[in-house]
Amino acid sequence: MKFEQQFSQKQSQTQKLAMTQKLQQSIQILQYNTEDLIDYIDNKALENPLLEVMEPSYSSNYSKPRKSSGKEMNYLSQIPDNTISLFEHLIDQVHLNYRDTYLRQLVLYLVEYIDLNGFLKISLEEAAEKTGGSAIQLLDALTLIQQLDPAGVGARNLQECLMLQTERDNAAPHLAYVVLEEMFEELVDRKWEKIAKNFDISLSDVQEIFDYIQNLTPTPGAIYGTTEGLFIIPDLTVKIDDQELKVLSNRKSVPEIKFQQNYFERMEKSQDPEVLKYLKDKQQDYEWLKKTIQQRGDTIYRVGKTIVSHQKDFFLDKGRPLKPLTLKDISEELEIHESTVSRAVNGKYLETVFGVFELKSFFSKKIGENSNESSANDAKRLLQQLVDQEDKAKPLSDQKLTELMEDKGIMLSRRTVAKYRDVLNIAGSSKRKRYDSATKRS
C-alpha cells in the first residue's frame, strides 16, 4: 500500500463581504427604534461640528402599542401626572402631610423599604429592632404610609394590598373588604359556595365581589418611574379611505440633520493640512449619516407597505384577521435579506385609528399542511371568540374547544388548545364559571 502526498497550486475566485465599521453602523441604525436613533444622532452631533440637528416635530399623543391579537387596556387612566419615582412621590407626601415628629422619622425610615411595586419589604419587628421604636409606634408609622397615594402602598402582602384599595373605594361592593379579610384563600380558590354560606349572600354577590377585585391592581407602585415606556413614536401610519389603504412614513419624528456650510467654508480657508483633513472626514461622516438615515426610512417604509398589502384584511375587517406571513415572504418579494426585514420590523411601530402595533406582530406562521389559510393568530382569535361566547354558567372544556375549532376547520390537539389558552391568559373551565343573578345558592 502506497501513501502519496500531493501538493498543487490552484487559483479560485470567491466573494466575501467585508464587515466594515460603516457597514456595522448602518446595520445598527436600521435596528434602532426612533428613540434610540434620536439619541444616536445627538451623540454624532457632539462629535461633528459640521452637523446641525433640527429637532423633530411630532405629537406626543401616541399610546402604548397593542398586540395584534390582544385586548385594549386603558393605560392613560393609570399614568401619573409626572415621571418621579414612587420613593420621591411618597417622600413628598410625607413632608407635605405630616409634622416633623419622631413618628414621621419612623415613617421616613419605612419608606426606604418600600419596593418598586409598593410593598413593604421589612418586618415591623426588624424595623423596631433597628430604630429603637416600639411595635405600636412602627405600626402607627405604617398606618400613615398606607394612607398615602397610591392606594395599596405599604402593604405587606397581596391580601393587605387589595384590602387597602377596597377600604378607600366608596364604590366597592358590600362585604368586599370583609370577604378579603376573612376568606381571602377561599376567594382565590373559588370556593364560592362556602363564602356565600358563611356571609349568607348569593353566589351572584360573590361573583360581583370577585369581578371588582379583578379590577384592582396587585402592584400599586409599579406605575411610578415606568411611564417612559408607555409612549412610543410610530414609524408609519395607515390611513383608510373608502376601503383603500394608504401607508405614510412618519419621518418628521426623526431629527433632520443639516450641514454647517458657513462653518465649513470659514475653516476651509485654513492652510493647515490637518484641519483640511479633519474637515473632509467630518464632511464624509455627515454625508454618510444623512444617506444612512434616508436608507433606514426607505427600508422601513418598503417593508411596512408590503406587510400592509399582505394583511389588508386586518385593517379593513373589524375581526382583525391575520394571514400567514413570514420574514422570508417579505424578503423574497423585496429582494432583501431576511435579517434586514427582521431589523426593519423589531421595535418599529405602525399607527392606525384603532391602535398602534409593532410591525413584527403582523407575522404569523401556518398551523399545518391542511390549514393553508389558517394561522396561529387565527386559531387564538377563534379560541378567544369561543370563550367569549360560551355559557359562563357552563364553560367549555379544552376538549370541547378542540372539537368546536375542528368544526371551524382548524385542527389542533387538546394540548395545543390548552397552550394557546394560557398564552391568551384564559383560565381553565372551572375557573371561568360565573354566577349571574339568576343562579341560586345551593
Side-chain angles (χ1 to χ4, degrees), residues 132-372:
S134 67
I136 295 298
Q137 288 174 322
L138 267 300
L139 183 59
D140 288 343
L142 178 59
T143 301
L144 292 179
I145 291 177
Q146 293 177 346
Q147 292 173 2
L148 302 176
D149 288 324
V153 72
R156 289 161 288 185
N157 52 52
L158 177 60
Q159 179 183 9
E160 186 175 33
C161 177
L162 299 176
M163 288 170 59
L164 289 170
Q165 294 176 62
T166 304
E167 184 180 32
R168 291 165 60 172
D169 185 2
N170 293 328
H174 178 58
L175 292 179
Y177 181 89
V178 180
V179 170
L180 280 170
E181 182 179 31
E182 298 182 8
M183 304 193 73
F184 178 71
E185 294 298 331
E186 288 80 0
L187 188 65
V188 171
D189 294 337
R190 300 179 73 91
K191 296 179 179 179
W192 292 2
E193 290 85 357
K194 186 176 181 179
I195 297 174
K197 183 177 181 180
N198 186 73
F199 291 102
D200 194 23
I201 57 178
S202 67
L203 289 173
S204 61
D205 291 332
V206 181
Q207 179 72 64
E208 181 185 3
I209 292 173
F210 183 80
D211 290 344
Y212 167 78
I213 294 170
Q214 289 286 88
N215 290 320
L216 301 178
T217 174
T219 56
I223 193 62
Y224 288 88
T226 60
T227 55
E228 183 178 350
L230 291 177
F231 292 94
I232 55 92
I233 305 170
D235 302 87
L236 303 171
T237 298
V238 172
K239 293 191 177 294
I240 304 174
D241 184 13
D242 194 24
Q243 297 298 296
E244 291 297 323
L245 301 177
K246 185 175 182 180
V247 182
L248 305 175
S249 178
N250 297 332
R251 303 204 184 198
K252 289 184 178 181
S253 63
V254 177
E256 181 184 358
I257 62 172
K258 290 188 176 182
F259 187 68
Q260 295 273 35
Q261 186 64 36
N262 293 335
Y263 181 81
F264 176 81
E265 291 175 355
R266 290 199 308 269
M267 296 296 293
E268 195 177 27
K269 294 177 181 178
S270 171
Q271 299 301 314
D272 188 336
E274 290 188 5
V275 172
L276 295 177
K277 183 179 183 304
Y278 175 82
L279 288 175
K280 182 180 179 180
D281 291 342
K282 294 304 178 184
Q283 183 181 26
Q284 290 177 345
D285 286 345
Y286 162 79
E287 292 171 350
W288 169 84
L289 181 61
K290 189 173 183 67
K291 179 182 177 181
T292 303
I293 294 174
Q294 179 67 37
Q295 289 177 338
R296 173 189 179 274
D298 291 344
T299 301
I300 294 173
Y301 177 74
R302 291 177 64 209
V303 171
K305 188 175 182 180
T306 306
I307 290 174
V308 171
S309 69
H310 279 272
Q311 303 292 10
K312 187 175 181 180
D313 291 344
F314 175 85
F315 301 93
L316 300 179
D317 188 334
K318 291 185 178 180
R320 310 301 172 206
L322 283 178
K323 293 182 178 179
L325 184 65
T326 64
L327 295 175
K328 186 177 181 180
D329 295 333
I330 302 298
S331 68
E332 290 180 348
E333 183 168 340
L334 296 179
E335 297 183 346
I336 57 179
H337 200 276
E338 277 187 53
S339 63
T340 301
V341 179
S342 177
R343 294 186 181 97
V345 300
N346 282 315
K348 316 304 187 304
Y349 295 90
L350 181 150
E351 179 194 15
T352 70
V353 293
F354 50 85
V356 179
F357 305 87
E358 190 171 8
L359 286 179
K360 70 177 182 180
S361 67
F362 292 98
F363 292 96
S364 180
K365 295 181 180 179
K366 296 178 181 179
I367 295 182
E369 296 180 359
N370 298 325
S371 306
N372 292 330

Side-chain angles (χ1 to χ4, degrees), residues 31 54 95 125:
Q31 192 164 323
M54 309 299 292
H95 287 295
E125 292 78 8

